[in-house]
Amino acid sequence: MAEYWFIADGFEDKVRNFQNRKSEAEVNLEFAIPEKDFNSAGKGSSELKNLLKRLGVDSEILRRIAVASYEAEINVAAHSQGGTMYSAIYDDLIHVRFEDQGPGIADIEQAMVPGFSTANDLVRELGFGAGLGLPNIKKNSDAMHLVSESGSATFLEFIIYFA
Amino acid sequence: MTLSDIVALLEAEVLYPDADLDREVPCAFASDMISDILMCTKEPTLLLTGLTNNQVIRLSDMIDLTGIVFVRGKKPLPDVIDMAEERGLPIISTKYTLYRSSGLLFNAGLRSCKI
């Protein structure tokens, strides 16, 4: 399996602490993401943002979480055979995981290059396929981790701190 | 500049009755690609686009859009207009192209949004 890690400058210790954290999340959410369902794609991220707004998360951080989550949700809908989004909300951060049913990313390094896209015509007609999905997730996250290979499921997770 | 000013400059049609046209529009962004539009996370932004599917309205759940201008005479289907109305998101349609609409608004003093 190929793997890609991004941790924003200054967040290395925080992310390490999170990985060793024993406490449970305060809120856990789960959304199914059906394949090529562009009527409902994005609803999970909308609901997540509404919940975080009610919890009082700062508006610019809210937008970063929503954009990263939406891009990942669209990626699962557009490129996979369906998957699930799991959000874990802690008092200081959100950890969002996406797991799909394949068919995987052949070249992760290439997929991270802004402008590179494998989107088909249907997806492009809707305005997707700019080749900025993964770069936008990285840009808005404090940490991002992607695991995939051709013929396998893809796993993506990101962490964003509330302050 | 308010949305009413923008409706006048672009000779635009307001796509549902009682849309809030008094709101101030500080800046704008123009694109037909969703991931481009999602770069506007810094401030409330007017979007000019030729995309009319439901995902354009859903974008306003993620980032703060002050309104949407559909260019080249495009109009979304009624269920997409309903989605905008439910969210209180003003939407208008102009016959001008994306380039001309952007130029008219820029000349009138509407700046680009920060990305």
Side-chain angles (χ1 to χ4, degrees), chain A residues 17-125:
Chain A
N17 287 341
F18 171 71
Q19 287 169 325
N20 295 325
R21 191 180 280 199
K22 297 284 188 285
S23 63
E24 295 284 315
E26 301 195 4
V27 183
N28 284 291
L29 294 174
E30 187 178 325
F31 286 97
I33 309 170
E35 179 180 9
K36 303 282 189 303
D37 178 359
F38 292 106
N39 274 322
S40 57
K43 277 188 185 164
S45 301
S46 288
E47 289 189 28
L48 176 63
K49 188 184 173 196
N50 284 338
L51 171 67
L52 292 170
K53 193 173 181 179
R54 287 201 298 278
L55 295 175
V57 175
D58 168 79
S59 62
E60 190 163 342
I61 289 171
L62 263 183
R63 288 195 286 263
R64 284 173 49 210
I65 295 167
V67 168
S69 166
Y70 176 83
E71 289 280 20
E73 204 181 339
I74 292 297
N75 273 349
V76 172
H79 296 290
S80 84
Q81 293 154 24
T84 310
M85 161 180 169
Y86 305 92
S87 308
I89 303 169
Y90 296 82
D91 60 353
D92 58 336
L93 65 86
I94 183 163
H95 176 216
V96 191
R97 294 181 293 129
F98 295 83
E99 293 177 22
D100 71 27
Q101 291 153 29
I105 300 169
D107 186 338
I108 289 183
E109 289 289 316
Q110 197 172 30
M112 290 305 304
V113 175
F116 176 79
S117 173
T118 58
N120 64 23
D121 288 347
L122 163 80
V123 171
R124 284 175 198 270
E125 266 172 33

Side-chain angles (χ1 to χ4, degrees), chain A residues 38-43 45-46 49 60 63 66-67 70-71 74 125-130 132-133 136 139, chain B residues 32-36 38-44 51 53-55 58-64 87 115:
Chain A
F38 292 106
N39 274 322
S40 57
K43 277 188 185 164
S45 301
S46 288
K49 188 184 173 196
E60 190 163 342
R63 288 195 286 263
V67 168
Y70 176 83
E71 289 280 20
I74 292 297
E125 266 172 33
L126 293 170
F128 303 113
L132 287 172
N136 262 353
K139 179 183 142 194
Chain B
D32 282 354
M33 300 230 75
I34 284 176
S35 287
D36 279 352
L38 286 171
M39 292 195 293
C40 304
T41 55
K42 304 267 191 245
E43 54 185 339
L51 285 176
N53 64 65
N54 67 343
Q55 291 295 332
R58 186 146 294 136
L59 286 183
S60 74
D61 296 343
M62 314 303 155
I63 57 175
D64 286 355
R87 287 162 171 76
I115 56 168

Side-chain angles (χ1 to χ4, degrees), chain B residues 38-79:
Chain B
L38 286 171
M39 292 195 293
C40 304
T41 55
K42 304 267 191 245
E43 54 185 339
T45 301
L46 178 75
L47 172 65
L48 293 91
T49 188
L51 285 176
T52 54
N53 64 65
N54 67 343
Q55 291 295 332
V56 171
I57 310 297
R58 186 146 294 136
L59 286 183
S60 74
D61 296 343
M62 314 303 155
I63 57 175
D64 286 355
L65 295 179
T66 48
I68 302 178
V69 181
F70 296 106
V71 297
R72 304 192 291 276
K74 291 190 173 193
K75 285 179 200 171
L77 293 170
D79 58 329

